[in-house]
Amino acid sequence: MLSLTCPSVDLSQGGCLRLRRARPLWRSRSARSIGARCIVSTAQDDVRSGGVATSMKPAVSSSGSIQVSSLLEVVSGDIKRLNENLKALIGAENPVLVSAAEQIFGAGGKRLRPALVFLVSRATAQIAGLKELTIQHQRLAEIIEMIHTASLIHDDVIDDSGIRRGKETVHQIYGTRVAVLAGDFMFAQSSWYLANLENIEVIKLISQVIKDFASGEIKQASSLFNCDATLEDYLLKSYYKTASLVAASSKSASIFSRVDTSIGERMYEFGKNLGLSFQVVDDILDFTQSTEQLGKPACSDLSKGILTAPVIFALEKEPTLREFINSEFSEDGSFDTAIELIHQSGGLSRAQELAKQKAEMAIECLECLPESEFRNSLEGIVNYNLQRID
Amino acid sequence: MLSLTCPSVDLSQGGCLRLRRARPLWRSRSARSIGARCIVSTAQDVDVRSGGVATSMKPAVSSSGSIQVSSLLEVVSGDIKRLNENLKALIGAENPVLVSAAEQIFGAGGKRLRPALVFLVSRATAQIAGLKELTIQHQRLAEIIEMIHTASLIHDDVIDDSGIRRGKETVHQIYGTRVAVLAGDFMFAQSSWYLANLENIEVIKDFASGEIKQASSLFNCDATLEDYLLKSYYKTASLVAASSKSASIFSRVDTSIGERMYEFGKNLGLSFQVVDDILDFTQSTEQLGKPACSDLSKGILTAPVIFALEKEPTLREFINSEFSEDGSFDTAIELIHQSGGLSRAQELAKQKAEMAIECLECLPESEFRNSLEGIVNYNLQRID
């Protein structure tokens, strides 16, 4: 049994953490090969290299722009410990997993999700007068990153993706078999650790996330090229695939800090709105960045029939867009035309408004937290995300 | 380490049970195409398989006096019917993409042995506690175990790139890898969620333990023979053990009975696995519904082989060479038959079966206990 009071992680039970999210933060969609190049916004100053997850790449070109690394500095020790634990967990288990793990861990993710867990943990711990994070907080962060990574691995199989963060995926290198197995293993691993936290409420919260991941994938898969998809459908799908995890992990962090449930609820809403804001920004960037900047073909969602906020807004203004989508871009040049229509229709601006709206709601939710460097970092992350589309 | 001659195997809390074996009951291995035909034992007259339905659940039709599985499960047939309805509704409610896959999955003729075991243990232990009816938790537990089983099967087929299960095409084959991974993930996720909402920490932890062992065992491709054996049994027995114990927990009986039920499930699971491993060598491709000796062809070494290796050192070279030489596979199979490996495996299966039956002694006499005993014996009958 894993002892929760012992700081040295008992890795004998095989914790396997597969942390591997290609990029950008929330998506796994890799491309079919469509030649279209999305219009590059010159205002975009997040330089991406090798496809590292956007939101975690320090903004380097504007003075005054937010540096992500400084936002996470305040929990850098926590993240370092997390990385060590995760690596050890993989290494303990199996040579097949170890090689796959190297691929995964070497892929440059900035651990945004566990960072959020640490920030919310520390911010709420202050309220409760806790001096240090508990092992439960630590383990929660690891579990979250395990689940995230497991879902990425399966996403790559589902999407038949070959590239993530500019590197080949586990699926590509080791095959479907290892990818499905590895994902299953990590889900099982995270469930084991979750069970051993012995907190029913948290177990239920996180189990809901896993269920939501599956629901989100299925919802998306069954709605391709569907022009009748509403904004609500899109937000629900985004919630399932992205925001649910952040929301549940933020609330769980509060639970382990033993703060009042009302704060837990606020943290849930914070995570949810932050997650939605992130997703919308990612969806905008898919249209505004080049393939080089994204590290994968641009406009890949549209090419696969996944209709995101910019498209849904555009469809309201440009009915002709509907035909192109319905035809699944079978005609030559229809894809490029569709992209132009999306840009012209103001769909991107409206999506930007949506992202800002969610970001504002997220920031409001932080008001129940005392002023602290942790709260500042949380606000900073919300703003950093928006900066990606300024 | 698992000792083949020591009856007490410590599989407590570690066993990973992947109850999802394509077929026979506990295996999912589909074949590489190896032309070899295993020697068919003419004494094998039980279990006529048709279309690859999981053997142990196919009523034995050819011998009078042989155990009828359908009659063993009759006493919980209402429970199973309700389970089938719930599972279909659950999958169907989610999404049209899954509905067709669900038909394929749930229409495939499985006899719901695992949930049947949960219902039988539930009812048998409920009697002790004076419970008149099963609780919703019992019902949910049975659904959980069948969901995990089915999800594992679906993923196994992707992993093995299997096209046939129970004589029918697999979800993977018909709908593709994508739907198969999705459907499996959905069911795993749903089962985790149900499990969490049972709000019983002990049950949650037991299942998590079972699942992690199961998952880790799938990666064991290069360990020692002892490791292999331990893990291959983990794949099967530990979830049956966890579900039997959990059924007792929900009956609110004394923990000592829960422990006995855990041991019952564990030994039953082991016994089933060994029988499946024997049948892989003694039945023909037609009887199995998939190529015979497929485990060996894939380098998966089961009880008969492990025993054989103790007697026939030359066998080791064939295995190490991965049967690269012409005729080496056939020779290996002959060696296995000659070495007495099959008989020793049979003894092991019987041993585990006896231990399982002993574990039932804490239960009052009842039709449920009789059915549980019957299932243990039915399994052995497959290799008589």
Side-chain angles (χ1 to χ4, degrees), chain B residues 166-214:
Chain B
R166 293 182 184 138
K168 288 177 71 166
E169 281 180 298
T170 59
V171 171
H172 167 61
Q173 180 79 357
I174 300 175
Y175 300 98
T177 299
R178 195 160 163 269
V179 170
V181 175
L182 268 177
D185 282 352
F186 172 74
M187 275 193 279
F188 273 129
Q190 188 71 39
S191 64
S192 297
W193 189 80
Y194 272 156
L195 199 56
N197 281 273
L198 286 178
E199 302 199 356
N200 185 300
I201 287 286
E202 195 178 359
V203 168
I204 291 170
K205 285 166 73 173
D206 281 346
F207 267 84
S209 236
E211 286 194 77
I212 190 59
K213 291 299 181 199
Q214 181 178 344

Short mmCIF file of all heavy atoms in Angstrom, two decimals, chain B residues 166-214:
data_model
loop_
_atom_site.label_atom_id
_atom_site.label_comp_id
_atom_site.label_asym_id
_atom_site.label_seq_id
_atom_site.Cartn_x
_atom_site.Cartn_y
_atom_site.Cartn_z
N ARG B 166 -15.04 -15.28 -30.77
CA ARG B 166 -16.26 -16.10 -30.66
C ARG B 166 -16.84 -16.36 -32.06
O ARG B 166 -18.04 -16.40 -32.26
CB ARG B 166 -17.33 -15.39 -29.80
CG ARG B 166 -16.93 -15.28 -28.34
CD ARG B 166 -18.03 -14.62 -27.52
NE ARG B 166 -17.61 -14.42 -26.14
CZ ARG B 166 -17.85 -13.33 -25.43
NH1 ARG B 166 -18.49 -12.32 -25.97
NH2 ARG B 166 -17.46 -13.24 -24.19
N GLY B 167 -15.93 -16.51 -33.02
CA GLY B 167 -16.42 -16.85 -34.35
C GLY B 167 -17.02 -15.67 -35.09
O GLY B 167 -17.43 -15.79 -36.25
N LYS B 168 -17.11 -14.53 -34.43
CA LYS B 168 -17.63 -13.35 -35.13
C LYS B 168 -16.51 -12.34 -35.30
O LYS B 168 -15.50 -12.39 -34.60
CB LYS B 168 -18.73 -12.68 -34.29
CG LYS B 168 -20.03 -13.43 -34.23
CD LYS B 168 -21.02 -12.74 -33.31
CE LYS B 168 -21.57 -11.45 -33.88
NZ LYS B 168 -22.74 -10.97 -33.14
N GLU B 169 -16.72 -11.44 -36.21
CA GLU B 169 -15.72 -10.40 -36.37
C GLU B 169 -15.69 -9.52 -35.13
O GLU B 169 -16.70 -9.32 -34.47
CB GLU B 169 -16.05 -9.54 -37.59
CG GLU B 169 -15.65 -10.20 -38.89
CD GLU B 169 -15.99 -9.33 -40.07
OE1 GLU B 169 -17.18 -9.04 -40.28
OE2 GLU B 169 -15.07 -8.90 -40.78
N THR B 170 -14.52 -8.99 -34.85
CA THR B 170 -14.40 -8.15 -33.67
C THR B 170 -14.82 -6.71 -33.99
O THR B 170 -14.91 -6.33 -35.15
CB THR B 170 -12.94 -8.11 -33.20
OG1 THR B 170 -12.14 -7.61 -34.27
CG2 THR B 170 -12.46 -9.50 -32.81
N VAL B 171 -15.04 -5.95 -32.96
CA VAL B 171 -15.38 -4.53 -33.12
C VAL B 171 -14.27 -3.86 -33.91
O VAL B 171 -14.49 -3.08 -34.83
CB VAL B 171 -15.51 -3.83 -31.75
CG1 VAL B 171 -15.63 -2.32 -31.90
CG2 VAL B 171 -16.71 -4.37 -31.00
N HIS B 172 -13.06 -4.22 -33.54
CA HIS B 172 -11.86 -3.68 -34.17
C HIS B 172 -11.87 -3.93 -35.67
O HIS B 172 -11.57 -3.07 -36.48
CB HIS B 172 -10.67 -4.34 -33.49
CG HIS B 172 -9.37 -4.18 -34.16
ND1 HIS B 172 -8.77 -2.96 -34.38
CD2 HIS B 172 -8.51 -5.10 -34.67
CE1 HIS B 172 -7.62 -3.14 -34.97
NE2 HIS B 172 -7.43 -4.42 -35.17
N GLN B 173 -12.25 -5.14 -36.01
CA GLN B 173 -12.24 -5.55 -37.41
C GLN B 173 -13.29 -4.78 -38.21
O GLN B 173 -13.03 -4.31 -39.31
CB GLN B 173 -12.56 -7.05 -37.47
CG GLN B 173 -12.59 -7.65 -38.85
CD GLN B 173 -11.20 -7.92 -39.38
OE1 GLN B 173 -10.22 -7.61 -38.73
NE2 GLN B 173 -11.11 -8.49 -40.56
N ILE B 174 -14.47 -4.68 -37.65
CA ILE B 174 -15.56 -4.07 -38.40
C ILE B 174 -15.51 -2.54 -38.38
O ILE B 174 -15.68 -1.89 -39.40
CB ILE B 174 -16.92 -4.49 -37.81
CG1 ILE B 174 -17.08 -6.00 -37.88
CG2 ILE B 174 -18.06 -3.81 -38.55
CD1 ILE B 174 -18.32 -6.49 -37.22
N TYR B 175 -15.31 -2.00 -37.19
CA TYR B 175 -15.43 -0.56 -37.05
C TYR B 175 -14.11 0.18 -37.03
O TYR B 175 -14.06 1.39 -37.02
CB TYR B 175 -16.22 -0.22 -35.79
CG TYR B 175 -17.62 -0.80 -35.80
CD1 TYR B 175 -17.89 -1.97 -35.13
CD2 TYR B 175 -18.64 -0.16 -36.50
CE1 TYR B 175 -19.16 -2.51 -35.16
CE2 TYR B 175 -19.91 -0.70 -36.53
CZ TYR B 175 -20.18 -1.88 -35.86
OH TYR B 175 -21.43 -2.40 -35.88
N GLY B 176 -13.04 -0.58 -36.96
CA GLY B 176 -11.73 0.05 -36.98
C GLY B 176 -11.17 0.29 -35.60
O GLY B 176 -11.86 0.25 -34.58
N THR B 177 -9.89 0.59 -35.62
CA THR B 177 -9.16 0.80 -34.38
C THR B 177 -9.75 1.92 -33.56
O THR B 177 -9.88 1.84 -32.34
CB THR B 177 -7.69 1.15 -34.72
OG1 THR B 177 -7.13 0.06 -35.42
CG2 THR B 177 -6.89 1.41 -33.45
N ARG B 178 -10.10 2.97 -34.23
CA ARG B 178 -10.59 4.18 -33.57
C ARG B 178 -11.81 3.90 -32.71
O ARG B 178 -11.85 4.22 -31.53
CB ARG B 178 -10.94 5.16 -34.67
CG ARG B 178 -11.13 6.56 -34.25
CD ARG B 178 -10.97 7.44 -35.48
NE ARG B 178 -11.52 8.74 -35.23
CZ ARG B 178 -12.78 9.08 -35.49
NH1 ARG B 178 -13.58 8.22 -36.03
NH2 ARG B 178 -13.20 10.29 -35.21
N VAL B 179 -12.82 3.29 -33.30
CA VAL B 179 -14.04 3.00 -32.54
C VAL B 179 -13.74 2.01 -31.44
O VAL B 179 -14.26 2.11 -30.33
CB VAL B 179 -15.16 2.46 -33.47
CG1 VAL B 179 -16.32 1.93 -32.66
CG2 VAL B 179 -15.62 3.55 -34.41
N ALA B 180 -12.86 1.05 -31.72
CA ALA B 180 -12.53 0.04 -30.73
C ALA B 180 -11.85 0.68 -29.51
O ALA B 180 -12.20 0.38 -28.37
CB ALA B 180 -11.65 -1.04 -31.33
N VAL B 181 -10.91 1.57 -29.77
CA VAL B 181 -10.24 2.21 -28.64
C VAL B 181 -11.24 3.08 -27.88
O VAL B 181 -11.31 3.06 -26.64
CB VAL B 181 -9.04 3.07 -29.10
CG1 VAL B 181 -8.43 3.83 -27.93
CG2 VAL B 181 -7.97 2.17 -29.72
N LEU B 182 -12.06 3.82 -28.62
CA LEU B 182 -13.07 4.69 -28.01
C LEU B 182 -14.07 3.90 -27.18
O LEU B 182 -14.38 4.27 -26.05
CB LEU B 182 -13.88 5.40 -29.11
CG LEU B 182 -13.42 6.76 -29.59
CD1 LEU B 182 -14.33 7.22 -30.72
CD2 LEU B 182 -13.44 7.74 -28.44
N ALA B 183 -14.60 2.82 -27.77
CA ALA B 183 -15.61 2.04 -27.07
C ALA B 183 -15.02 1.43 -25.80
O ALA B 183 -15.65 1.44 -24.74
CB ALA B 183 -16.15 0.93 -27.98
N GLY B 184 -13.80 0.94 -25.91
CA GLY B 184 -13.14 0.37 -24.74
C GLY B 184 -12.91 1.43 -23.67
O GLY B 184 -13.19 1.22 -22.50
N ASP B 185 -12.43 2.59 -24.09
CA ASP B 185 -12.18 3.67 -23.14
C ASP B 185 -13.48 4.09 -22.47
O ASP B 185 -13.52 4.37 -21.27
CB ASP B 185 -11.57 4.89 -23.85
CG ASP B 185 -10.08 4.71 -24.13
OD1 ASP B 185 -9.49 3.72 -23.65
OD2 ASP B 185 -9.50 5.57 -24.83
N PHE B 186 -14.53 4.16 -23.26
CA PHE B 186 -15.81 4.56 -22.70
C PHE B 186 -16.24 3.59 -21.61
O PHE B 186 -16.67 4.00 -20.53
CB PHE B 186 -16.89 4.63 -23.78
CG PHE B 186 -18.26 4.85 -23.23
CD1 PHE B 186 -18.63 6.09 -22.74
CD2 PHE B 186 -19.17 3.82 -23.15
CE1 PHE B 186 -19.88 6.30 -22.19
CE2 PHE B 186 -20.44 4.02 -22.61
CZ PHE B 186 -20.79 5.26 -22.13
N MET B 187 -16.12 2.31 -21.89
CA MET B 187 -16.56 1.33 -20.90
C MET B 187 -15.67 1.28 -19.67
O MET B 187 -16.16 1.12 -18.56
CB MET B 187 -16.72 -0.03 -21.54
CG MET B 187 -18.09 -0.13 -22.16
SD MET B 187 -18.51 -1.79 -22.60
CE MET B 187 -17.64 -1.86 -24.12
N PHE B 188 -14.38 1.44 -19.86
CA PHE B 188 -13.50 1.50 -18.70
C PHE B 188 -13.88 2.71 -17.85
O PHE B 188 -13.96 2.64 -16.63
CB PHE B 188 -12.03 1.66 -19.12
CG PHE B 188 -11.32 0.37 -19.40
CD1 PHE B 188 -10.63 0.19 -20.59
CD2 PHE B 188 -11.32 -0.67 -18.48
CE1 PHE B 188 -9.97 -1.00 -20.86
CE2 PHE B 188 -10.65 -1.87 -18.74
CZ PHE B 188 -9.98 -2.03 -19.94
N ALA B 189 -14.10 3.83 -18.55
CA ALA B 189 -14.41 5.07 -17.83
C ALA B 189 -15.73 4.92 -17.08
O ALA B 189 -15.86 5.33 -15.92
CB ALA B 189 -14.49 6.23 -18.81
N GLN B 190 -16.71 4.35 -17.75
CA GLN B 190 -18.02 4.17 -17.12
C GLN B 190 -17.91 3.26 -15.91
O GLN B 190 -18.50 3.52 -14.86
CB GLN B 190 -18.98 3.55 -18.15
CG GLN B 190 -20.42 3.49 -17.69
CD GLN B 190 -21.06 4.86 -17.64
OE1 GLN B 190 -20.83 5.71 -18.50
NE2 GLN B 190 -21.87 5.08 -16.62
N SER B 191 -17.12 2.20 -16.03
CA SER B 191 -17.00 1.28 -14.91
C SER B 191 -16.28 1.96 -13.75
O SER B 191 -16.65 1.75 -12.59
CB SER B 191 -16.29 -0.02 -15.32
OG SER B 191 -14.96 0.24 -15.71
N SER B 192 -15.29 2.79 -14.05
CA SER B 192 -14.60 3.51 -12.97
C SER B 192 -15.56 4.45 -12.27
O SER B 192 -15.52 4.62 -11.05
CB SER B 192 -13.47 4.39 -13.52
OG SER B 192 -12.50 3.61 -14.13
N TRP B 193 -16.40 5.07 -13.05
CA TRP B 193 -17.34 6.03 -12.47
C TRP B 193 -18.35 5.32 -11.59
O TRP B 193 -18.65 5.76 -10.47
CB TRP B 193 -18.02 6.79 -13.61
CG TRP B 193 -18.83 7.95 -13.15
CD1 TRP B 193 -18.38 9.19 -12.81
CD2 TRP B 193 -20.25 7.96 -12.96
NE1 TRP B 193 -19.43 9.97 -12.43
CE2 TRP B 193 -20.58 9.26 -12.51
CE3 TRP B 193 -21.25 7.02 -13.13
CZ2 TRP B 193 -21.89 9.63 -12.23
CZ3 TRP B 193 -22.56 7.39 -12.86
CH2 TRP B 193 -22.86 8.69 -12.41
N TYR B 194 -18.90 4.22 -12.07
CA TYR B 194 -19.83 3.44 -11.26
C TYR B 194 -19.15 2.97 -9.98
O TYR B 194 -19.73 3.00 -8.89
CB TYR B 194 -20.29 2.19 -12.02
CG TYR B 194 -21.50 2.41 -12.90
CD1 TYR B 194 -21.73 1.56 -13.98
CD2 TYR B 194 -22.42 3.41 -12.65
CE1 TYR B 194 -22.83 1.73 -14.80
CE2 TYR B 194 -23.53 3.59 -13.47
CZ TYR B 194 -23.72 2.74 -14.53
OH TYR B 194 -24.81 2.90 -15.35
N LEU B 195 -17.93 2.51 -10.15
CA LEU B 195 -17.17 2.02 -9.00
C LEU B 195 -17.02 3.12 -7.97
O LEU B 195 -17.24 2.91 -6.78
CB LEU B 195 -15.80 1.56 -9.51
CG LEU B 195 -14.97 0.62 -8.66
CD1 LEU B 195 -15.74 -0.65 -8.34
CD2 LEU B 195 -13.70 0.26 -9.42
N ALA B 196 -16.63 4.30 -8.45
CA ALA B 196 -16.46 5.43 -7.52
C ALA B 196 -17.77 5.72 -6.80
O ALA B 196 -17.78 6.01 -5.59
CB ALA B 196 -15.98 6.66 -8.28
N ASN B 197 -18.87 5.62 -7.53
CA ASN B 197 -20.16 5.97 -6.94
C ASN B 197 -20.75 4.90 -6.05
O ASN B 197 -21.78 5.10 -5.42
CB ASN B 197 -21.13 6.40 -8.03
CG ASN B 197 -20.87 7.84 -8.46
OD1 ASN B 197 -21.37 8.79 -7.89
ND2 ASN B 197 -20.02 7.99 -9.46
N LEU B 198 -20.06 3.76 -5.98
CA LEU B 198 -20.45 2.77 -4.98
C LEU B 198 -19.99 3.24 -3.61
O LEU B 198 -20.45 2.75 -2.57
CB LEU B 198 -19.83 1.40 -5.30
CG LEU B 198 -20.44 0.64 -6.47
CD1 LEU B 198 -19.69 -0.67 -6.69
CD2 LEU B 198 -21.92 0.34 -6.22
N GLU B 199 -19.05 4.18 -3.63
CA GLU B 199 -18.58 4.83 -2.40
C GLU B 199 -18.08 3.85 -1.35
O GLU B 199 -18.27 4.07 -0.15
CB GLU B 199 -19.71 5.70 -1.81
CG GLU B 199 -20.16 6.75 -2.80
CD GLU B 199 -20.90 7.91 -2.18
OE1 GLU B 199 -21.14 7.86 -0.96
OE2 GLU B 199 -21.21 8.87 -2.91
N ASN B 200 -17.45 2.82 -1.80
CA ASN B 200 -16.87 1.88 -0.86
C ASN B 200 -15.37 1.79 -1.15
O ASN B 200 -14.96 1.22 -2.16
CB ASN B 200 -17.53 0.51 -1.01
CG ASN B 200 -17.04 -0.47 0.03
OD1 ASN B 200 -15.85 -0.76 0.12
ND2 ASN B 200 -17.96 -0.98 0.84
N ILE B 201 -14.61 2.38 -0.26
CA ILE B 201 -13.17 2.49 -0.50
C ILE B 201 -12.50 1.14 -0.70
O ILE B 201 -11.66 0.97 -1.58
CB ILE B 201 -12.48 3.23 0.66
CG1 ILE B 201 -12.81 4.71 0.62
CG2 ILE B 201 -10.97 3.08 0.60
CD1 ILE B 201 -12.11 5.47 -0.46
N GLU B 202 -12.89 0.18 0.10
CA GLU B 202 -12.24 -1.13 0.01
C GLU B 202 -12.48 -1.77 -1.36
O GLU B 202 -11.56 -2.28 -1.99
CB GLU B 202 -12.78 -2.04 1.12
CG GLU B 202 -11.91 -3.27 1.31
CD GLU B 202 -12.41 -4.15 2.45
OE1 GLU B 202 -13.43 -3.78 3.09
OE2 GLU B 202 -11.80 -5.20 2.69
N VAL B 203 -13.72 -1.69 -1.80
CA VAL B 203 -14.05 -2.24 -3.11
C VAL B 203 -13.30 -1.51 -4.21
O VAL B 203 -12.74 -2.11 -5.12
CB VAL B 203 -15.58 -2.16 -3.34
CG1 VAL B 203 -15.94 -2.45 -4.79
CG2 VAL B 203 -16.29 -3.13 -2.42
N ILE B 204 -13.26 -0.20 -4.10
CA ILE B 204 -12.57 0.60 -5.10
C ILE B 204 -11.10 0.22 -5.16
O ILE B 204 -10.52 0.05 -6.23
CB ILE B 204 -12.72 2.12 -4.79
CG1 ILE B 204 -14.17 2.56 -4.99
CG2 ILE B 204 -11.79 2.95 -5.66
CD1 ILE B 204 -14.46 3.97 -4.48
N LYS B 205 -10.50 0.07 -4.00
CA LYS B 205 -9.07 -0.26 -3.97
C LYS B 205 -8.81 -1.67 -4.49
O LYS B 205 -7.86 -1.90 -5.23
CB LYS B 205 -8.53 -0.12 -2.54
CG LYS B 205 -8.34 1.34 -2.14
CD LYS B 205 -8.13 1.52 -0.67
CE LYS B 205 -6.76 1.06 -0.21
NZ LYS B 205 -6.53 1.41 1.21
N ASP B 206 -9.67 -2.61 -4.16
CA ASP B 206 -9.48 -3.97 -4.65
C ASP B 206 -9.54 -4.03 -6.17
O ASP B 206 -8.74 -4.70 -6.82
CB ASP B 206 -10.57 -4.91 -4.08
CG ASP B 206 -10.26 -5.32 -2.65
OD1 ASP B 206 -9.12 -5.12 -2.20
OD2 ASP B 206 -11.17 -5.86 -1.99
N PHE B 207 -10.49 -3.33 -6.72
CA PHE B 207 -10.60 -3.33 -8.17
C PHE B 207 -9.41 -2.64 -8.81
O PHE B 207 -8.90 -3.07 -9.83
CB PHE B 207 -11.90 -2.64 -8.61
CG PHE B 207 -13.03 -3.61 -8.79
CD1 PHE B 207 -13.79 -4.02 -7.71
CD2 PHE B 207 -13.31 -4.15 -10.04
CE1 PHE B 207 -14.82 -4.93 -7.86
CE2 PHE B 207 -14.35 -5.05 -10.20
CZ PHE B 207 -15.11 -5.44 -9.11
N ALA B 208 -9.00 -1.54 -8.22
CA ALA B 208 -7.86 -0.80 -8.79
C ALA B 208 -6.62 -1.68 -8.79
O ALA B 208 -5.84 -1.69 -9.74
CB ALA B 208 -7.61 0.48 -7.99
N SER B 209 -6.46 -2.43 -7.72
CA SER B 209 -5.35 -3.36 -7.62
C SER B 209 -5.42 -4.40 -8.72
O SER B 209 -4.43 -4.70 -9.38
CB SER B 209 -5.48 -4.11 -6.29
OG SER B 209 -4.34 -3.96 -5.55
N GLY B 210 -6.60 -4.95 -8.88
CA GLY B 210 -6.80 -5.97 -9.90
C GLY B 210 -6.49 -5.44 -11.29
O GLY B 210 -5.82 -6.09 -12.09
N GLU B 211 -6.97 -4.25 -11.54
CA GLU B 211 -6.78 -3.70 -12.88
C GLU B 211 -5.34 -3.36 -13.17
O GLU B 211 -4.87 -3.52 -14.29
CB GLU B 211 -7.66 -2.48 -13.07
CG GLU B 211 -9.12 -2.86 -13.24
CD GLU B 211 -9.95 -1.73 -13.75
OE1 GLU B 211 -9.88 -1.45 -14.96
OE2 GLU B 211 -10.67 -1.10 -12.95
N ILE B 212 -4.61 -2.87 -12.17
CA ILE B 212 -3.24 -2.48 -12.46
C ILE B 212 -2.39 -3.71 -12.71
O ILE B 212 -1.49 -3.72 -13.55
CB ILE B 212 -2.66 -1.57 -11.34
CG1 ILE B 212 -1.32 -1.00 -11.79
CG2 ILE B 212 -2.46 -2.30 -10.04
CD1 ILE B 212 -1.39 -0.19 -13.05
N LYS B 213 -2.69 -4.80 -11.98
CA LYS B 213 -1.93 -6.02 -12.23
C LYS B 213 -2.20 -6.51 -13.63
O LYS B 213 -1.31 -6.95 -14.36
CB LYS B 213 -2.35 -7.12 -11.25
CG LYS B 213 -1.95 -6.86 -9.86
CD LYS B 213 -0.44 -6.74 -9.71
CE LYS B 213 -0.08 -6.49 -8.28
NZ LYS B 213 1.22 -5.96 -8.06
N GLN B 214 -3.45 -6.44 -14.00
CA GLN B 214 -3.83 -6.89 -15.31
C GLN B 214 -3.09 -6.09 -16.37
O GLN B 214 -2.52 -6.64 -17.30
CB GLN B 214 -5.33 -6.71 -15.46
CG GLN B 214 -5.87 -7.17 -16.78
CD GLN B 214 -7.37 -7.01 -16.83
OE1 GLN B 214 -8.04 -6.83 -15.82
NE2 GLN B 214 -7.90 -7.06 -18.01
#
